[in-house]
Amino acid sequence: MERIRPLPYRVPLVDGESTGSFVTRLAARHGQSVSHLLATVGEGRSAADVDPWQSELYFNAAARQRLAEMVGRPLDQLLRALASLRDEHLLPDGSGAAAYRWPWRPRSGFLVRGCALCAARRGVLDQVWLIRPDPWHICMQHGRFYDISGDDRWPFIDLSPGPHVLQAELRRLRLVKRLGPVGRLLVADAFAVLAHPAVQLPRLGGSRTAPLRLLPTAVTVAYRMAWLERLRLDGRLVHGDYRRWREEVRSDLGRQLGLALHEWSEWHLPLQLPPLPLTRAARPSSRRYRQPDFPHQPAVPGMAPVDKLTCLSWEILAHGPRPYG
Ligand SMILES: [Zn+2]
């Protein structure tokens, strides 16, 4: 293919945006159709009339490089903002020619409406769609809850009447920052614990507001789990710790959650670590055991939703009609 000439107008990047949403804005800014613009990037297949609300766009390495040249930005700048362009989501190289694909559904992650106020601050007035691991996203800056709904009459939920949800989200972000992938696994397990039949709470996907209703309790549960899990990953747990922990959880969080957490803890028994070495420095630490061994999967994919991350078998998601249309 011929060399690419940079497009004349610079289109601002929005953190976490989907590639399809970005390319749609890019084409609109230059008065082109998306298919015309993509024909310059490479060869590909796309469903007719693709909509960035419903589908995500994927490139191979050569097409990704051409896109970076087209927008006149270094590749790593694009990769920081657009998660679906990162290596783990690249299409195979094939013949080496630049190629793209625009399937109907994202291969991983969900297309969540981006915060209009955050976008406007970057000078973007078009609708932006983010690619996120879960079908919802809370903008801490503007106190708004966004999801995958395409309903323009109700694009977000204002969280100012429910500051406890924002506090819970802040605590969740802190936990994930402190514990890394283990933090994400624990939050996923916490949502699964709330889906235990004894707990009798609504399931995710049962209504648009279900994540809001569940989040504060899920975060409380995840912090309780974190206490036990950190000791477990450090190899410092003894069976007496479990008994004490279970009693405390039951008296603080109630009988039903206590029951579900008891079952969770039975799935997270002490790791079989190598025998204690003589020197303290050689001891295993949670730093080395970033990933819980059994029963979790060793790798935590970046775009895996809570129902795929958890090791528990309780159904997190509601069955039947979904609230998003
Ligand atoms: Zn915002």
Side-chain angles (χ1 to χ4, degrees):
M1 283 191 109
E2 59 189 280
R3 259 187 75 82
I4 254 183
R5 272 211 309 253
L7 290 169
Y9 301 113
R10 213 168 160 80
V11 168
L13 294 171
V14 176
D15 268 343
E17 190 174 9
S18 74
T19 311
S21 169
F22 174 70
V23 168
T24 302
R25 291 196 294 115
L26 188 68
R29 180 73 183 84
H30 292 88
Q32 297 183 19
S33 70
V34 176
S35 47
H36 183 263
L37 186 136
L38 284 176
T40 328
V41 175
E43 286 178 21
R45 271 203 310 209
S46 82
D49 298 330
V50 269
D51 181 335
W53 161 47
Q54 300 198 61
S55 73
E56 176 59 313
L57 176 64
Y58 299 94
F59 290 118
N60 70 2
R64 180 175 79 172
Q65 186 56 43
R66 284 175 72 82
L67 179 74
E69 286 164 26
M70 187 184 251
V71 299
R73 290 180 187 272
L75 183 59
D76 62 337
Q77 217 178 70
L78 278 191
L79 297 190
R80 271 199 299 278
L82 308 178
S84 292
L85 280 184
R86 292 178 192 155
D87 290 354
E88 63 266 33
H89 304 293
L90 281 182
L91 299 176
D93 279 337
S95 62
Y100 71 87
R101 233 177 141 178
W102 204 336
W104 271 114
R105 297 271 171 238
R107 298 152 136 226
S108 56
F110 293 88
L111 292 159
V112 176
R113 193 185 286 269
C115 175
L117 297 179
C118 288
R121 233 182 18 192
R122 312 232 42 194
V124 176
L125 301 178
D126 300 316
Q127 178 57 58
V128 161
W129 293 92
L130 309 177
I131 186 87
R132 303 276 314 168
D134 290 305
W136 72 87
H137 168 65
I138 291 174
C139 171
M140 294 300 292
Q141 203 79 40
H142 300 106
R144 289 178 167 189
F145 170 88
Y146 290 92
D147 60 14
I148 60 177
S149 169
D151 185 353
D152 292 327
R153 291 166 307 171
W154 196 23
F156 65 88
I157 296 170
D158 175 18
L159 294 180
S160 48
H164 63 294
V165 178
L166 284 175
Q167 282 157 17
E169 176 66 0
L170 189 64
R171 291 186 72 212
R172 186 191 71 83
L173 291 168
R174 280 195 197 126
L175 186 75
V176 172
K177 192 171 170 196
R178 209 172 66 209
L179 301 184
V182 176
R184 288 193 64 213
L185 292 173
L186 291 178
V187 172
D189 275 2
F191 274 106
V193 160
L194 300 196
H196 189 282
V199 179
Q200 293 178 329
L201 281 173
R203 301 284 160 96
L204 289 175
S207 74
R208 283 183 71 181
T209 52
L212 296 178
R213 288 193 56 192
L214 296 175
L215 188 67
T217 316
V219 171
T220 301
V221 165
Y223 270 80
R224 286 297 176 124
M225 292 170 162
W227 186 87
L228 201 70
E229 191 66 0
R230 290 180 80 180
L231 291 181
R232 182 174 88 97
L233 297 178
D234 271 353
R236 289 190 284 139
L237 269 187
V238 292
H239 282 272
D241 292 326
Y242 281 89
R243 190 175 40 76
R244 228 172 310 121
W245 183 85
R246 286 165 184 163
E247 281 165 8
E248 274 175 25
V249 160
R250 192 186 162 98
S251 81
D252 295 351
L253 304 181
R255 195 182 59 83
Q256 288 152 318
L257 271 177
L259 186 78
L261 278 163
H262 186 124
E263 283 191 42
W264 172 83
S265 66
E266 284 176 339
W267 273 95
H268 296 76
L269 293 176
L271 290 177
Q272 298 298 312
L273 295 182
L276 203 64
L278 290 174
T279 58
R280 212 180 130 76
R283 277 196 63 188
S285 76
S286 60
R287 235 187 292 277
R288 282 183 49 214
Y289 286 82
R290 292 301 290 186
Q291 309 284 351
D293 280 353
F294 184 77
H296 289 277
Q297 295 297 316
V300 177
M303 281 292 160
V306 291
D307 58 305
K308 296 285 187 304
L309 289 177
T310 183
C311 66
L312 299 170
S313 58
W314 307 309
E315 290 283 346
I316 297 185
L317 301 177
H319 293 294
R322 305 299 295 268
Y324 302 108

